[in-house]
Amino acid sequence: SEWNLHLYQGFWYFSTTLENVFYLQENFNADPTDILICSPPKSGTTWLKSLSFAIMTRNRFDESSNPLFKAVSHECIPHLESDFASGSFSRDQELKLLGTHLPLNALPKSVFIENCKIVYICRDPKDLVVSMFHFAKKFPWPIFSFERTVERFCEGRSYYGPYWDHVLEYWKMSQEKPENVMFLKYEDMKENTLFYIKKLAEFLGEPFSQEEEMEGVPEKIMNMCSFENLSNLEVNKTGIHREGSAVEIGNNAFFRKGEVGDWKNHFTQKMKEKIDQTTQDKLHGSGFTF
Ligand code: A3P
């Protein structure tokens, strides 16, 4: 079926993605100023990209003309697996941001040679798999039951999975090279959004000035990129993601609930025990917890 996954270098991919990954690994030359926004799918990518884009472009656009109001953030920032391989890739020299779902070990080598900065976001695996399950429904193919989705997820069989391996690789690098890797959790960002927006701006090399703080610029960016605001934009209600591509989905597929703890409405006790055990086994000895 369309959900057939292929294992490559320890991670699972759709066949179409895999071709692009080969191409990327062979041909992508990172610039030292590139900043990669890396994430497993459904971890909060749309939000992190929006925030990063809003931070980087805050002096380029006034509050009404920002491209974020006219296109979902995935289209404001090039995505390596799709845009680079399709040849429609070009860098915005002022922006420097690039998105990817690739695991660390699959990133093109030049990313490390050029010492590129990386911002990573991850999320409680229970909420992530719930998000993934609902996202799958947006595609024109039959889906697995939620129970089966969780089982497969625990076996590592999810696109760009095993999820825990994806997280641990980036987490380890963030411990070794904190100046290169900023490691974020969706739950922390939800709880302390403003704090992380400021941290993110610093890491991206565009810290807020005192004057900007006084003017409430970080708050404006927070509000601009909130789930409520973005999900209610016309473009995100009715727009099509990658219009004209083989599989079109609505931009609204990227906005569902935007909450922490929705897993409680989906998991049975047995399923919860299974995923928690998997998490415990996978993270054992790593020093990392969700
Ligand atoms: P839910 O399905 O739990 O609602 P990704 O962007 O990596 O595909 O992740 C999608 C998840 O992020 C979805 O989670 C979605 O609702 C949530 N999300 C999208 N935009 C958001 C925002 N601005 N703030 C918080 N969460 C957001």
Side-chain angles (χ1 to χ4, degrees), residues 6 8-9 13-28 79-88 99-102 106-108 160 242 245-246:
H6 304 268
Y8 172 61
Q9 298 177 331
Y13 300 88
F14 293 122
S15 51
T16 43
T17 311
L18 202 45
E19 283 164 31
N20 294 345
V21 175
F22 296 150
Y23 184 77
L24 256 175
Q25 290 183 336
E26 287 287 309
N27 298 296
F28 181 74
H79 184 74
L80 286 185
E81 291 92 295
S82 38
D83 294 323
F84 185 74
S86 74
S88 64
T100 180
H101 290 314
L102 284 178
L107 291 176
Y160 299 93
R242 300 198 179 283
S245 69

Side-chain angles (χ1 to χ4, degrees), residues 132 213 240 251 255:
M132 199 173 257
E213 296 234 5
I240 306 291
N251 287 341
F255 303 91

Side-chain angles (χ1 to χ4, degrees), residues 42-47 123 131 186 225 227 254 256-258:
K42 312 325 290 173
S43 58
T45 318
T46 314
W47 188 23
R123 184 178 191 187
S131 188
Y186 184 87
C225 297
F227 180 86
F254 296 101
R256 192 183 62 91
K257 271 195 168 179

Side-chain angles (χ1 to χ4, degrees), residues 4-281:
N4 268 345
L5 297 170
H6 304 268
L7 190 63
Y8 172 61
Q9 298 177 331
F11 289 85
W12 293 97
Y13 300 88
F14 293 122
S15 51
T16 43
T17 311
L18 202 45
E19 283 164 31
N20 294 345
V21 175
F22 296 150
Y23 184 77
L24 256 175
Q25 290 183 336
E26 287 287 309
N27 298 296
F28 181 74
N29 291 316
D31 275 358
T33 53
D34 286 342
I35 302 173
L36 274 73
I37 299 185
C38 304
S39 62
K42 312 325 290 173
S43 58
T45 318
T46 314
W47 188 23
L48 178 60
K49 281 182 176 170
S50 307
L51 288 170
S52 306
F53 187 87
I55 289 168
M56 297 301 273
T57 63
R58 66 187 187 268
N59 297 319
R60 274 162 82 179
F61 306 105
D62 65 40
E63 275 160 52
S64 60
S65 69
N66 195 294
L68 275 178
F69 299 132
K70 291 174 207 85
V72 69
S73 62
H74 300 283
E75 266 139 52
C76 298
I77 293 176
H79 184 74
L80 286 185
E81 291 92 295
S82 38
D83 294 323
F84 185 74
S86 74
S88 64
F89 174 77
S90 66
R91 274 188 189 80
D92 176 331
Q93 287 306 336
E94 275 182 85
L95 191 60
K96 302 183 274 188
L97 304 172
L98 304 172
T100 180
H101 290 314
L102 284 178
L104 187 79
N105 81 343
L107 291 176
K109 291 285 165 284
S110 60
V111 168
F112 303 104
I113 294 166
E114 299 299 346
N115 229 5
C116 297
K117 283 190 188 178
I118 292 172
V119 185
Y120 185 77
I121 187 164
C122 66
R123 184 178 191 187
D124 179 317
K126 294 196 283 298
D127 279 341
L128 184 128
V129 74
V130 166
S131 188
M132 199 173 257
F133 172 71
H134 288 289
F135 189 63
K137 291 188 200 159
K138 307 284 179 177
F139 291 82
W141 311 315
I143 55 162
F144 293 105
S145 67
F146 181 63
E147 191 174 6
R148 188 74 194 109
T149 302
V150 174
E151 274 171 21
R152 286 171 56 96
F153 185 72
C154 289
E155 290 161 10
R157 287 175 177 256
S158 55
Y159 42 111
Y160 299 93
Y163 175 63
W164 299 267
D165 298 9
H166 200 292
V167 174
L168 280 179
E169 283 188 353
Y170 280 97
W171 186 74
K172 282 184 190 135
M173 186 167 170
S174 77
Q175 299 301 103
E176 286 157 16
K177 289 187 131 192
E179 66 285 1
N180 276 68
V181 183
M182 179 174 198
F183 187 99
L184 298 165
K185 294 182 195 171
Y186 184 87
E187 293 75 21
D188 293 345
M189 300 264 300
K190 286 290 283 191
E191 199 173 300
N192 214 342
T193 311
L194 207 51
F195 172 82
Y196 286 103
I197 288 176
K198 291 177 191 174
K199 281 262 178 231
L200 182 59
E202 279 170 33
F203 185 80
L204 295 174
E206 302 287 342
F208 296 108
S209 65
Q210 265 190 350
E211 203 182 350
E212 284 179 309
E213 296 234 5
M214 301 242 298
E215 286 167 2
V217 175
E219 286 83 353
K220 278 181 196 153
I221 288 175
M222 174 172 77
N223 295 334
M224 176 176 158
C225 297
S226 71
F227 180 86
E228 290 65 35
N229 192 50
L230 291 181
S231 62
N232 282 310
L233 292 174
E234 195 53 39
V235 64
N236 290 330
K237 282 186 177 167
T238 60
I240 306 291
H241 182 54
R242 300 198 179 283
E243 200 153 14
S245 69
V247 182
E248 290 181 342
I249 54 167
N251 287 341
N252 62 10
F254 296 101
F255 303 91
R256 192 183 62 91
K257 271 195 168 179
E259 284 170 12
V260 172
D262 193 37
W263 64 266
K264 293 183 185 120
N265 302 316
H266 293 77
F267 276 68
T268 61
Q269 185 59 25
K270 196 167 149 248
M271 286 154 70
K272 177 186 183 293
E273 280 165 19
K274 169 84 183 150
I275 195 168
D276 285 348
Q277 188 62 51
T278 307
T279 299
Q280 209 181 315
D281 294 347

